[in-house]
Amino acid sequence: MGVRWEFDGVLVLALLGLCLCAAPVCEGGITSSYVRNKDLVHDMPLDSDVFRVPPGYNAPQQVHITQGDHVGKRVIVSWVTPDEPGSSTVLYWAENSELKKSAQGIVLTYKYFNYTSGYIHHCTIKDLEFDTKYYYEVGNGNTTRKFWFRTPPSVGPDVPYTFGLIGDLGQTPDSNRTLTHYELNPVKGQTILFVGDLSYADAYPFHDNTRWDTWGRFIERIAAYQPWIWTAGNHEIDFLPESGESKPFKPYTNRYHVPYKASQSTSPLWYSIKRASAHIIVLSSYSAYGKYTPQYKWLEKELPKVNRTETPWLIVLMHSPLYSSYIHHYMEGESMRVMYEAWFVEYKVDVVFAGHVHAYERSERISNIAYNIVNGICTPISDPSAPVYITIGDGGNLEGLVTDMTQPQPSYSAYREASFGHGIFDIKNRTHAFFSWHRNQDGYAVEADSLWLHNRYWKPSLSMTY
Ligand SMILES: [Fe+2]
């Protein structure tokens, strides 16, 4: 009898367990079973080779480029000279051309508590030809440094173009692995869409800005050769009034210039660019976005200007995700979702990339715009006009991964995993783009998650989901 009861008890427990285990699978998409080791990570030491100062007196360092106008015919080249202002001139020439041209930039410095920056140069190179490789030089004499970039093809609807996606990078060994995996990915990204949280210098006492300098040297190996499209995150706010630093985004806006005026924006924290077949809108999760604010009024005017016949792919970048099923930062993007989600659906945004949550997640195409506070309709529903929301805050910073997820997996969540990595958004033509997510623990060619996206304007009916 005793044996029989014990057996029945085990059976009941097993059945109960089966029901409980089955629930998350039924409710939502895939939660990866990969469990990462949770050892605390630290920033790479100051004397790491990735932070090496280029040799020579006053040699330019922290060289990085970004798009300098609305269509890709200008490039902003930025760099720092540590000892004296030196020259703000950039010499540049097209591949197969002997004619060297020069562009004159500006130099600035800033102070942050007890830190004084080096001499930060910003120079916009104008009137470039599309789809052309250019070499450029900064510095003088024997400390001249030479780099190159390729301009994008002319803006047009069927221009293939490949964007990389990186967020929340920091400067740890994991950050370094992310950059290496991006560099060695057989699919070659041509421009990085960066979704905020750059150096994490604010993790140090008084936000030690020397960690902004090390970060600038760390990313140079990619950022000097292809544009990074910048989005500000919470670690760019650098608000430290108790130490006299009450102007938000001070180090970020001094170091990373963006072409915001080209899209009639009044702030570098929100702007747009067109590049190849994409129209990219950058928003600021940490600037006012309520009705009547400058950001709201800008976006209200910007969205109707998007010409899907010219740029079929409409991409939005922001730092704090509107949909995330991780417990950390849960619903921090909710108020921006309330303000802007209806517009994203109305204007058929293809994909919204965000960071902030240190993990990866991809949503179904869903919207939650029917709720009016009294009707109770507050559950996301399938919506073929809605964007896919992708959280890619898994660059590798010192705060580590977030692993706690809401259970069961909500139906809006298609795939989620707490691993470091990067994304690739590979536009093929006006109707198709291929997104892939690459984890640092895999080989360089492995796609841990991927999907074909059908353009919401040109191919909206074929797939409800993607
Ligand atoms: Fe963040």
Side-chain angles (χ1 to χ4, degrees), residues 300-321:
E300 186 179 34
K301 281 189 180 160
E302 173 70 10
L303 284 165
K305 289 184 199 166
V306 179
N307 178 356
R308 304 296 278 273
T309 302
E310 183 191 44
T311 50
W313 293 93
L314 178 51
I315 299 170
V316 174
L317 311 180
M318 60 179 64
H319 186 61
S320 186

Side-chain angles (χ1 to χ4, degrees), residues 168 197 200 233-235 286 319 329 355-358:
D168 303 70
D197 283 359
Y200 290 77
N234 52 305
H235 288 280
Y286 307 99
H319 186 61
H329 299 314
H356 199 40
V357 176
H358 298 162

Side-chain angles (χ1 to χ4, degrees), residues 177-252:
R177 273 177 217 119
T178 299
L179 291 195
T180 303
H181 274 245
Y182 177 69
E183 291 170 305
L184 297 179
N185 191 326
V187 179
K188 295 300 173 203
Q190 296 166 287
T191 292
I192 288 181
L193 305 179
F194 191 86
V195 291
D197 283 359
L198 285 67
S199 73
Y200 290 77
D202 60 353
Y204 291 82
F206 309 110
H207 298 203
D208 182 0
N209 275 217
T210 57
R211 279 288 177 176
W212 275 103
D213 291 311
T214 54
W215 196 79
R217 297 199 291 273
F218 167 52
I219 65 158
E220 183 190 272
R221 71 190 207 231
I222 300 175
Y225 298 93
Q226 60 174 251
W228 290 39
I229 307 304
W230 299 110
T231 310
N234 52 305
H235 288 280
E236 279 67 73
I237 300 173
D238 282 313
F239 180 65
L240 200 61
E242 59 273 31
S243 299
E245 294 301 340
S246 54
K247 185 177 176 231
F249 302 105
K250 188 182 190 182
Y252 171 71

Side-chain angles (χ1 to χ4, degrees), residues 260-261 263-270 294-295 298:
Y260 65 97
K261 289 177 185 165
S263 55
Q264 290 75 53
S265 170
T266 51
S267 165
L269 301 171
W270 57 88
Q295 183 168 205
W298 176 81

Side-chain angles (χ1 to χ4, degrees), residues 33-83:
S33 58
Y34 181 83
V35 179
R36 199 171 188 285
N37 133 13
K38 287 193 192 174
D39 287 351
L40 197 60
V41 284
H42 297 284
D43 279 350
M44 293 178 284
L46 291 171
D47 58 358
S48 302
D49 58 350
V50 293
F51 300 144
R52 196 170 38 230
V53 174
Y57 173 74
N58 208 34
Q61 56 169 267
Q62 307 176 49
V63 180
H64 55 93
I65 61 171
T66 194
Q67 185 162 317
D69 64 354
H70 209 223
V71 296
K73 292 193 79 167
R74 293 184 181 184
V75 166
I76 302 172
V77 181
S78 304
W79 70 97
V80 173
T81 47
D83 306 308

